[in-house]
Amino acid sequence: MQKQKRVTDFFSSPVAKKSPSASPRTPLFELDTQLAVAKKPRVSLCETDVRQTILDAGQRKIGGQYCKQCDMMYCIDSITEVAMHDKHHNKYSDGSTHFIAGIIIAEPLKSAQYSDSGKELHDGEPIVGVNRIWTHPTARRKGVASELLDVIRHRYFTGTLVPKSRVAFSDPSDDGKKFAERYVRSCSEASSSFLVYTVTK
């Protein structure tokens, strides 16, 4: 009598046995024992190369420098800028070149305030307003700014000599305040107070 088959026998299939391969397995990738070495890009030493950087090797000066003698800013790491600075600097050291020692911008005022009390001065008499005053670094501490103010006081108003006490300074800095105090104290009216005003557009 034939053995009755089960339901699962209709869904199963014989598993084929794997036979060992007669030939050796072929590798998927051929490995090169000598790896290619990537070449590093050459570092350009050209000054115009934007990739060029400054190395800090412990030198005393590096990067941008400001020369107080000739009033020039330059990069000490640039051969071109150092040469330009040397040429520019020599013009002031040899004394053969004329340059602007100072500049002053003045304007007439109708009123001003005292620096210590804030009291307003408005009496109808001339007041000279110093909008800006500047002196070259090589000409500072030599009385150039005082001479400029003296010329303005004598010649700004025709036929009128403006006293030092009636010279007003616009929003002076700390150094400007010290200069104004020294300039005012040098007159007969010995006082540390000076006139100030605010520039209006």
Side-chain angles (χ1 to χ4, degrees):
M1 182 177 180
Q2 188 177 4
K3 185 179 179 181
Q4 187 177 0
K5 294 184 178 181
R6 294 177 298 179
V7 177
T8 56
D9 293 339
F10 293 96
F11 299 96
S12 62
S13 59
V15 180
K17 294 183 179 181
K18 295 182 180 180
S19 58
S21 177
S23 60
R25 181 175 296 178
T26 303
L28 297 178
F29 302 97
E30 293 291 340
L31 299 179
D32 189 359
T33 56
Q34 296 181 352
L35 298 177
V37 179
K39 294 183 178 180
K40 296 182 179 180
R42 297 180 60 185
V43 179
S44 174
L45 298 179
C46 178
E47 289 188 350
T48 58
D49 192 346
V50 296
R51 298 172 300 175
Q52 182 72 12
T53 57
I54 300 172
L55 297 179
D56 186 356
Q59 56 268 45
R60 292 184 178 181
K61 295 182 179 180
I62 186 173
Q65 301 293 323
Y66 173 69
C67 180
K68 295 182 179 180
Q69 284 71 30
C70 64
D71 193 27
M72 179 178 179
M73 178 71 75
Y74 67 100
C75 180
I76 198 172
D77 302 287
S78 172
I79 299 177
T80 303
E81 292 193 16
V82 170
M84 292 175 61
H85 166 254
D86 292 341
K87 183 178 180 180
H88 180 73
H89 187 90
N90 292 335
K91 292 182 180 180
Y92 296 95
S93 59
D94 59 12
S96 60
T97 302
H98 298 283
F99 63 95
I100 298 175
I103 298 175
I104 184 172
I105 302 176
E107 56 186 338
L109 299 177
K110 295 181 179 180
S111 63
Q113 294 78 36
Y114 287 98
S115 60
D116 55 353
S117 63
K119 183 180 178 181
E120 185 178 14
L121 175 63
H122 184 76
D123 56 5
E125 295 295 326
I127 301 176
V128 175
V130 180
N131 189 305
R132 294 288 186 276
I133 186 169
W134 172 87
T135 55
H136 193 277
T138 59
R140 292 171 186 171
R141 303 290 182 182
K142 297 181 180 180
V144 175
S146 297
E147 291 183 11
L148 290 174
L149 283 176
D150 290 342
V151 172
I152 292 296
R153 291 191 305 108
H154 282 78
R155 300 186 179 183
Y156 196 83
F157 296 99
T158 304
T160 302
L161 173 60
V162 179
K164 290 184 178 181
S165 59
R166 299 185 69 87
V167 176
F169 300 85
S170 65
D171 302 323
S173 61
D174 291 339
D175 291 337
K177 292 177 181 178
K178 294 178 181 178
F179 167 75
E181 291 176 355
R182 291 195 303 267
Y183 185 76
V184 173
R185 278 201 304 264
S186 63
C187 66
S188 58
E189 302 175 6
S191 174
S192 60
S193 179
F194 56 92
L195 295 176
V196 295
Y197 73 102
T198 302
V199 178
T200 57
K201 296 182 180 180

